[in-house]
Amino acid sequence: MNLDEFVSCSSDFGVYRPGEPVEELAARLNMPVDRILKLNANENLFLPRSILQNVLAEAAAETDPRLYPGGEEAVLAGKLAKLHGASSDQIVLAAGGDQIIDLVMSNLVKQGDTVLAVTPTFSMYPRTAKIKGLTFREVPLDSRFALDGERVLEESQGAGLIVLCNPNNPTSNQLPREEVMKIVDGLEGFVLVDEAYAEYGEYSLIREALKRENLIVLRTFSKAYGLAGLRLGYGVTNSVLARTLAERYMMPFSVPGFVLRVGAKLLDERDTVMEAIEEVKRERGFLVDSLDEMEGVKAFPSDANFVLFATDKPYGEVYDGLLERGVILRKIGAVPGYSDCLRVTVAPREITLRFLEALGEVMT
Ligand SMILES: Cc1ncc(COP(=O)(O)O)c(C=O)c1O
């Protein structure tokens, strides 16, 4: 293959654009960086930074960067296993949840098989499937974002993998457990349940994943644990699948020893993490109610740390208006039943009030 062929092969992969960098926007608007509200990536803005800084300092002091990671993996896997009522050999550590998606789509799906997902959903699923040369098929959620397990199974011919995002990004609802389990029980292929936001929802399927042959659950430290910048995630499944993926397919040393140590230490601070999660849930209620009270805005209920809302103005216009006021959201566009939607991260009250004020200006 030459360079032209290589580049043209990638033309329909799409580019993952995380949004305008805060520093660039601040410079463009001539604003201090700390006035920019970054509410587009569902990071946890509630965990006190001081706690994270202590954990980072301790982990840094214990890390010898001259050495490859050693026993840190076993320590973190052991703590995660305890947390989830699993055993260490049922945990696959990775550099973020994205690496679990990559690992599963690279190795659990045969060439020629289809990856199926209910949509709208996380953009990395179609993108990764296309990069791996797999066919990607969508089954749309209905206008109430409800999942119909039987319908998904009816559409599942040729599907080697079904990916379900639960709670779903961007619709923010948690899919009913029975419907998800109908799919797991009825499919011959594998099911990846992406629980990146499960800490903010009502339930997890990790216990089921330990008992099933075809279910793998993805978790991440990016959303509830405040470590989006360090890239730490994991998969949980039966030990045969977990060990095969981790030992035979995963690149060695994918997660730096320092990051593994930070993850383990943060699990020792779980009370603080849980408090932050509870606070997110309280502030989420305030955000949904405030959005709903605004003229021309409809907010959807959320089981995650973000809220999806529809506007009666074109979403691009709302997005640009907010950007000019230093507020970065995620553009979503059309979802079933609504043409103009945006997504906003749940943030501490003071930030939310500034966002609401800016949105109020844009909507009038
Ligand atoms: C649904 C979902 N899954 C996975 C990820 C990836 O998370 P990570 O930062 O762990 O790679 C994200 C990140 O936005 C997400 O929204």
Side-chain angles (χ1 to χ4, degrees):
M1 183 172 353
N2 63 29
L3 180 59
D4 284 345
E5 283 166 338
F6 174 68
V7 172
S8 78
C9 280
S10 66
S11 60
D12 78 329
F13 292 172
V15 178
Y16 184 79
R17 294 198 195 282
E20 184 162 354
V22 169
E23 297 76 7
E24 281 175 27
L25 183 63
R28 186 158 69 77
L29 298 178
N30 202 12
M31 258 188 189
V33 169
D34 61 8
R35 289 298 292 171
I36 302 292
L37 305 186
K38 184 180 181 304
L39 301 174
N40 61 345
N42 312 330
E43 291 130 337
N44 184 343
L45 305 174
F46 288 80
L47 260 184
R49 226 175 134 180
S50 56
I51 293 196
L52 292 170
Q53 271 159 347
N54 289 344
V55 166
L56 293 179
E58 273 180 34
E62 290 170 16
T63 303
D64 182 345
R66 295 170 301 179
L67 306 182
Y68 283 106
E72 299 95 329
E73 274 201 16
V75 173
L76 178 57
K79 287 189 190 236
L80 286 170
K82 193 159 169 229
L83 176 67
H84 294 306
S87 60
S88 299
D89 63 0
Q90 294 168 317
I91 309 284
V92 184
L93 296 168
D98 282 342
Q99 197 183 19
I100 294 291
I101 298 169
D102 186 272
L103 184 72
V104 166
M105 292 200 188
S106 302
N107 305 301
L108 276 183
V109 193
K110 287 201 304 279
Q111 282 300 317
D113 275 1
T114 293
V115 174
L116 188 145
V118 291
T119 54
T121 195
F122 185 40
S123 62
M124 286 305 287
Y125 310 148
R127 186 158 182 263
T128 312
K130 282 183 204 162
I131 293 171
K132 305 295 163 195
L134 304 167
T135 306
F136 182 78
R137 194 155 75 231
E138 314 183 14
V139 178
L141 290 166
D142 71 15
S143 60
R144 284 162 39 234
F145 307 150
L147 175 73
D148 178 343
E150 267 150 40
R151 211 183 114 226
V152 172
L153 282 174
E154 278 163 22
E155 308 258 345
S156 70
Q157 308 87 333
L161 174 72
I162 294 185
V163 189
L164 298 168
C165 189
N166 199 25
N168 187 37
N169 176 9
T171 56
S172 75
N173 56 318
Q174 199 159 32
L175 308 167
R177 186 188 187 109
E178 321 74 68
E179 297 302 311
V180 176
M181 288 315 295
K182 269 186 208 166
I183 297 171
V184 173
D185 289 335
L187 191 78
E188 271 189 33
F190 289 97
V191 179
L192 173 65
V193 174
D194 181 342
E195 292 192 352
Y197 299 98
E199 287 88 349
Y200 301 107
E202 298 297 321
Y203 77 92
S204 165
L205 289 177
I206 284 185
R207 296 275 164 148
E208 296 295 337
L210 302 177
K211 296 187 287 197
R212 314 267 165 169
E213 290 212 339
N214 68 335
L215 175 60
I216 175 161
V217 169
L218 174 162
R219 300 296 284 259
T220 178
F221 279 76
S222 296
K223 306 302 179 181
Y225 284 85
L227 293 188
L230 291 195
R231 316 303 303 127
L232 182 59
Y234 56 102
V236 190
T237 184
N238 68 76
S239 51
V240 175
L241 179 54
R243 285 329 338 125
T244 308
L245 285 171
E247 290 166 9
R248 307 229 167 133
Y249 290 96
M250 189 81 159
M251 287 299 140
F253 312 121
S254 287
V255 189
F258 168 71
V259 175
L260 294 165
R261 278 183 200 275
V262 171
K265 286 180 189 296
L266 207 47
L267 288 179
D268 295 338
E269 305 286 342
R270 216 176 123 74
D271 288 351
T272 309
V273 175
M274 292 309 293
E275 272 169 36
I277 290 170
E278 288 311 312
E279 224 184 312
V280 170
K281 291 182 180 172
R282 282 193 293 276
E283 289 303 312
R284 174 173 79 189
F286 172 77
L287 175 58
V288 171
D289 293 346
S290 309
L291 283 167
D292 250 349
E293 280 164 16
M294 201 176 284
E295 189 74 22
V297 175
K298 173 183 168 34
F300 299 94
S302 170
D303 295 313
N305 69 336
F306 58 86
V307 172
L308 179 75
F309 63 96
T311 55
D312 65 7
K313 284 197 172 178
Y315 70 95
E317 210 177 283
V318 177
Y319 176 84
D320 290 342
L322 287 168
L323 205 59
E324 290 317 305
R325 290 165 174 77
V327 182
I328 312 175
L329 294 201
R330 185 85 178 164
K331 274 191 247 188
I332 301 298
V335 302
Y338 298 86
S339 53
D340 292 283
C341 293
L342 297 110
R343 194 191 72 193
V344 58
T345 306
V346 179
R349 183 69 61 99
E350 180 208 329
I351 297 177
T352 293
L353 290 174
R354 280 173 52 204
F355 153 66
L356 289 168
E357 192 186 332
L359 182 64
E361 286 170 18
V362 172
M363 291 305 295
T364 46

